[in-house]
Amino acid sequence: MGESGWCRWAVPLWMFTLAGFLQLSASYSVKHSALSDFHDSSVRNCTVVPPYLPPTTVNTTKRLADLRLLMPAHNVSAYIIPATDAHLSEYIAVRDKRLTWITGFTGTAGTAVVTNTKAVFWTDSRYWIQAERQVDCNWDLIRDSYVSSIVDWLIREIPEGQQIGVDPFLFSIDTWNSYYHPLEQAKQTLISVPQNLVDEVWTERPPPPSEAIERLPDYVIERSWQDKVEEIRKQMMEDAYKPTAVLLSALDETAWLFNLRGSDIPYNPFFFSYTLLTLDEIWLFVDPSRVTAEIKEYLNASCFQSHCIQILEYSTVKSYIGRYVTGNVKVWIGTEYTTYGLYEVIPKEKLLTSAYSPVLVTKSVKDQTEQKVLKDAHVRDAVAVIQLLVWLEKSVPKGTEDELSAAHFVDQKRSAQKHFRGPSFESISASGPNAALAHYSPNNETNRKLSVDEMYMIDSGGQYLDGTTDITRTVHWGVPSDFQREAFTRVLMGNIDLSRLIFPPGTSGRNVEVLARRALWEVGLNYGHGTGHGIGNYFSVHEWPVGFQSNNIALQAGMFTSIEPGYYQENDFGIRIEDVAVVVKADTKFGGKHYLTFETVSLVPYDRKLINTALMSREQIEWLDAYCQKIRSEVVPELVRQGLKEEHSWVMKHTEPFVSGSILATASSLTLTAALLSSTLLQRLLF
């Protein structure tokens, strides 16, 4: 799936090049999206009197008026509203969707600025059409998402000497600095407004979550929370700067450290919390009413020793940190996920900073138990995706299914699998031109019928007690064009080239991700999103700091990452092939120590009719056949166990060896024969 930090897709919309269209673009182009089925009535028109507003917009007149009434009391001439929460989460709870409430926009990325006379909204190209559908004419839409664009606008619109307010708990340290310094040069001041002004006027804001926090079952845990605490304390003691405490702000940090889970965030099993871990004490900031007697006992919450967790009110974290730093201390923070609201209370001389906290870095390498159960989850998840593909192959020719029904079907099939807890993100179920928008998810307005004449892309995943999954497959039920086949094959070649790479320890993902693009680049094609992201064990589907981006850490054995090259033909079709892989030790000819490679753990066949093996090397075809063999050896037994005869036959058909010219390219014909025999025996025994 596209990414959080990873959700930075760069998906172009229609660019009108004809002179006649250019003359009309100022007032009319917003009505033409990359989805040809959209009609003019689906977007706003603020140039007519009265303005035309589709029924999907929200009237924000009173909300803006109420917000503006509060601004003079805080001595601010502008107020900035970002789209995140106090933990800089990718997905946020409904009560934290302040940007949605003030603008009506429901997308995941954007920033609003409100002044006494203007309201302006910035978002990236993924959401331009959506914004025109949802935001009323109180708002000016600026088609940009960079902080520099917002800062430039503020410098132009706000007089010198004025103050610009923001909730410091919604800004990362880097984001704060990106605003503060250029505004300071323009003789404007960015200030912290401790009480969020949107919260003050949002009278029907949902209450905080109240569901009890849960602990993970023992069978998915290798390291107890006490083991993890000692591991982090050991890193603290070994650090040359001798930190006395580590402050954990990202929600997955606390959840991982204590082997706990919650349900506060959509698609992510987290709970609102902070942790301050010192060499001899542990403070957990959380709503105490959500901590059951069982969990208190589990956390040793009734004692005051080094392995006893003191439970404090979630809302007291800032004041408690303020008191703690009055002593002779040094607090270690990860700057990527610590908000300016906490950063500003710690004196600079008492700070130790790194991009990521030691917890995030340690968590990124799965232990043996985590690796095993995460692989198990992917086998069961493959069953659900295979059920979807079998069903679609039969149903689409009848003309009865659409993008939404396909997304619902795969969710339903996942829900029948053992340990299922919910989807890991909103499914990207996209047909034809909709799939050309890499981050598209269907709704009642954009939903398209599935057709044998169009390509279809399904990017979906599940949350299981033992793991998180994310997989994308692209299929065609009719006759694909030569260009579609070549584009698909080259995307697959990129996936294979990166997956089969052998590399030395300490290699960063950004240094090798070009391999996923090489086959596309050779013919002048490319994709505008990241190549992969980390994935968790019943955690976030986009788990930092693993992946192939510039701010990811070096790859190590035990890390799980997606590998997902793609290609998107504007207003026509989209292709993405996404698999999750684990970094493992590689066997090399000369026995190079600690060399690494990837082992693919997503196990669903690729669409054979879209693969042109004439474009592929023998090594690529051998990898592909070995992958098909792995599907047979690992997924077929699970299909047999679940009594899925039709799916079993489908998999056997779609994992036959490939042929390149006159050469049958197989990793090992004997091993493949053994796999065939074993699956046949299982079928006879259990069916």
Side-chain angles (χ1 to χ4, degrees):
M1 175 192 179
E3 185 224 312
S4 74
W6 166 250
C7 284
R8 297 166 186 153
W9 298 93
V11 183
L13 297 180
W14 276 103
M15 301 299 295
F16 295 97
T17 56
L18 296 178
F21 281 142
L22 285 170
Q23 293 172 1
L24 295 174
S25 63
S27 62
Y28 196 59
S29 65
V30 296
K31 294 184 179 181
H32 291 73
S33 74
L35 306 182
S36 59
D37 287 351
F38 291 168
H39 301 289
D40 295 348
S41 60
S42 71
V43 299
R44 67 180 187 169
N45 185 352
C46 300
T47 66
V48 298
V49 180
Y52 170 74
L53 297 175
T56 49
T57 59
V58 173
N59 186 340
T60 63
T61 302
K62 185 178 185 305
R63 298 175 184 185
L64 286 169
D66 291 344
L67 178 63
R68 286 170 173 143
L69 287 175
L70 295 180
M71 290 167 59
H74 296 275
N75 195 25
V76 294
S77 299
Y79 189 68
I80 305 174
I81 307 158
T84 189
D85 65 7
H87 303 273
L88 307 178
S89 305
E90 175 188 0
Y91 297 100
I92 60 176
V94 175
R95 73 185 315 266
D96 289 320
K97 293 186 176 183
R98 300 173 178 92
L99 183 70
T100 295
W101 185 83
I102 198 67
T103 65
F105 172 75
T106 61
T108 60
T111 303
V113 174
V114 178
T115 71
N116 290 325
T117 58
K118 295 184 177 182
V120 187
F121 175 60
W122 285 259
T123 192
D124 64 55
S125 59
R126 292 174 295 163
Y127 296 115
W128 291 346
I129 297 300
Q130 181 177 342
E132 294 288 0
R133 289 202 192 103
Q134 295 181 326
V135 175
D136 69 10
C137 289
N138 286 309
W139 293 87
D140 294 329
L141 174 62
I142 295 183
R143 290 165 171 76
D144 201 331
S145 60
Y146 292 102
V147 169
S148 59
S149 172
I150 305 172
V151 168
D152 289 345
W153 186 92
L154 288 166
I155 291 173
R156 290 194 307 268
E157 296 289 333
I158 306 300
E160 290 184 3
Q162 300 297 300
Q163 296 189 135
I164 297 158
V166 66
D167 181 345
F169 278 86
L170 302 182
F171 267 35
S172 70
I173 300 166
D174 287 343
T175 301
W176 175 276
N177 290 331
S178 296
Y179 280 91
Y180 183 86
H181 295 302
L183 290 174
E184 183 183 41
Q185 292 177 359
K187 299 181 180 179
Q188 297 171 354
T189 305
L190 185 70
I191 66 167
S192 294
V193 179
Q195 177 58 44
N196 190 286
L197 300 188
V198 174
D199 293 352
E200 291 196 19
V201 298
W202 188 357
T203 56
E204 297 180 355
R205 186 185 180 211
S210 57
E211 293 81 6
I213 296 166
E214 302 175 344
R215 58 165 295 191
L216 285 175
D218 289 338
Y219 72 86
V220 301
I221 297 171
E222 180 171 313
R223 291 169 288 182
S224 69
W225 70 259
Q226 293 91 339
D227 293 335
K228 293 178 178 180
V229 163
E230 285 308 303
E231 189 171 353
I232 302 305
R233 282 174 169 164
K234 182 175 182 290
Q235 294 181 43
M236 293 166 62
M237 290 185 288
E238 292 175 348
D239 190 274
Y241 295 97
K242 302 302 179 185
T244 62
V246 173
L247 175 60
L248 306 179
S249 295
L251 297 181
D252 56 341
E253 294 178 306
T254 290
W256 176 85
L257 185 64
F258 301 127
N259 294 325
L260 298 174
R261 298 294 188 270
S263 56
D264 300 0
I265 304 293
Y267 307 116
N268 291 266
F270 303 148
F271 55 96
F272 291 120
S273 57
Y274 297 94
T275 295
L276 185 66
L277 171 65
T278 75
L279 295 175
D280 51 14
E281 293 180 285
I282 311 169
W283 293 281
L284 171 61
F285 299 88
V286 68
D287 179 355
S289 67
R290 307 179 62 192
V291 183
T292 64
E294 177 188 0
I295 297 299
K296 287 180 180 177
E297 181 179 358
Y298 166 72
L299 297 175
N300 296 335
S302 60
C303 61
F304 298 92
Q305 299 171 356
S306 63
H307 284 97
C308 303
I309 299 176
Q310 309 308 309
I311 297 174
L312 303 177
E313 283 282 356
Y314 172 81
S315 60
T316 65
V317 62
K318 183 175 181 178
S319 60
Y320 195 93
I321 297 297
R323 291 195 299 272
Y324 176 78
V325 296
T326 60
N328 183 24
V329 299
K330 187 176 287 290
V331 181
W332 190 353
I333 65 170
T335 57
E336 288 286 330
Y337 287 98
T338 302
T339 65
Y340 191 82
L342 291 178
Y343 174 81
E344 67 180 345
V345 304
I346 306 173
K348 303 299 182 291
E349 67 274 12
K350 297 186 178 183
L351 269 173
L352 171 62
T353 63
S354 56
Y356 302 103
S357 77
V359 166
L360 275 184
V361 174
T362 303
K363 177 171 68 68
S364 68
V365 178
K366 274 56 173 176
D367 60 38
Q368 291 301 311
T369 298
E370 289 170 330
Q371 292 182 43
K372 178 185 181 303
V373 297
L374 187 49
K375 290 179 181 180
D376 291 345
H378 277 81
V379 170
R380 300 194 308 276
D381 192 76
V383 172
V385 178
I386 289 166
Q387 288 177 295
L388 169 72
L389 296 178
V390 171
W391 175 71
L392 289 176
E393 198 171 276
K394 294 184 301 180
S395 302
V396 170
K398 301 175 184 177
T400 58
E401 304 307 328
D402 54 35
E403 293 168 337
L404 284 173
S405 66
H408 294 156
F409 185 91
V410 74
D411 285 345
Q412 177 188 14
K413 292 304 177 183
R414 280 193 171 100
S415 69
Q417 294 299 317
K418 185 172 63 173
H419 304 319
F420 180 76
R421 300 304 294 265
S424 57
F425 58 94
E426 183 180 13
S427 294
I428 298 173
S429 175
S431 178
N434 285 1
L437 301 173
H439 200 68
Y440 165 90
S441 289
N443 57 48
N444 290 331
E445 295 175 344
T446 64
N447 187 31
R448 287 176 63 90
K449 283 280 188 182
L450 303 186
S451 167
V452 295
D453 298 321
E454 293 182 338
M455 297 184 80
Y456 171 70
M457 183 175 74
I458 177 70
D459 182 348
S460 64
Q463 291 284 12
Y464 304 86
L465 277 174
D466 48 354
T468 304
T469 67
D470 182 7
I471 183 172
T472 307
R473 289 295 180 264
T474 304
V475 298
H476 197 302
W477 299 288
V479 181
S481 69
D482 291 342
F483 176 58
Q484 288 174 330
R485 289 189 72 215
E486 176 159 356
F488 181 93
T489 302
R490 290 186 178 278
V491 171
L492 177 60
M493 290 162 65
N495 183 301
I496 292 173
D497 285 346
L498 186 52
S499 298
R500 62 184 293 271
L501 176 69
I502 295 175
F503 52 94
T507 299
S508 293
R510 64 180 178 272
N511 294 332
V512 298
E513 75 98 40
V514 65
L515 290 175
R517 301 177 187 270
R518 182 176 62 182
L520 290 166
W521 285 3
E522 287 175 347
V523 292
L525 304 180
N526 199 6
Y527 53 94
H529 57 74
T531 295
H533 55 82
I535 195 163
N537 281 76
Y538 189 31
F539 263 133
S540 173
V541 72
H542 301 137
E543 184 171 86
W544 290 80
V546 177
F548 298 93
Q549 297 194 62
S550 60
N551 56 349
N552 292 143
I553 62 177
L555 295 166
Q556 300 179 51
M559 289 180 170
F560 282 72
T561 180
S562 70
I563 297 175
E564 49 182 297
Y567 174 71
Y568 308 90
Q569 182 68 20
E570 191 173 343
N571 202 40
D572 192 356
F573 64 87
I575 297 166
R576 186 159 61 252
I577 300 173
E578 177 183 16
D579 294 310
V580 171
V582 57
V583 181
V584 296
K585 293 181 179 179
D587 294 326
T588 57
K589 180 177 180 179
F590 297 108
K593 292 184 178 179
H594 310 304
Y595 270 64
L596 303 171
T597 189
F598 296 104
E599 175 191 338
T600 302
V601 300
S602 300
L603 298 171
V604 176
Y606 309 121
D607 189 349
R608 299 177 72 89
K609 71 170 59 176
L610 286 168
I611 301 174
N612 181 359
T613 55
L615 298 173
M616 302 172 67
S617 69
R618 180 184 181 89
E619 291 78 12
Q620 290 167 340
I621 299 174
E622 287 177 347
W623 186 97
L624 184 58
D625 277 338
Y627 177 69
C628 290
Q629 174 193 320
K630 184 175 182 180
I631 293 173
R632 289 186 173 190
S633 63
E634 297 188 21
V635 178
V636 164
E638 183 64 21
L639 292 171
V640 172
R641 190 189 67 79
Q642 295 188 27
L644 299 172
K645 296 182 180 180
E646 186 177 15
E647 287 77 6
H648 173 272
S649 298
W650 184 91
V651 167
M652 298 303 291
K653 175 183 176 182
H654 286 77
T655 55
E656 293 177 355
F658 285 81
V659 176
S660 177
S662 61
I663 302 172
L664 181 64
T666 64
S668 169
S669 59
L670 288 175
T671 308
L672 184 56
T673 301
L676 286 166
L677 288 172
S678 63
S679 63
T680 302
L681 288 171
L682 277 169
Q683 184 179 15
R684 291 177 177 175
L685 286 170
L686 299 179
F687 279 170

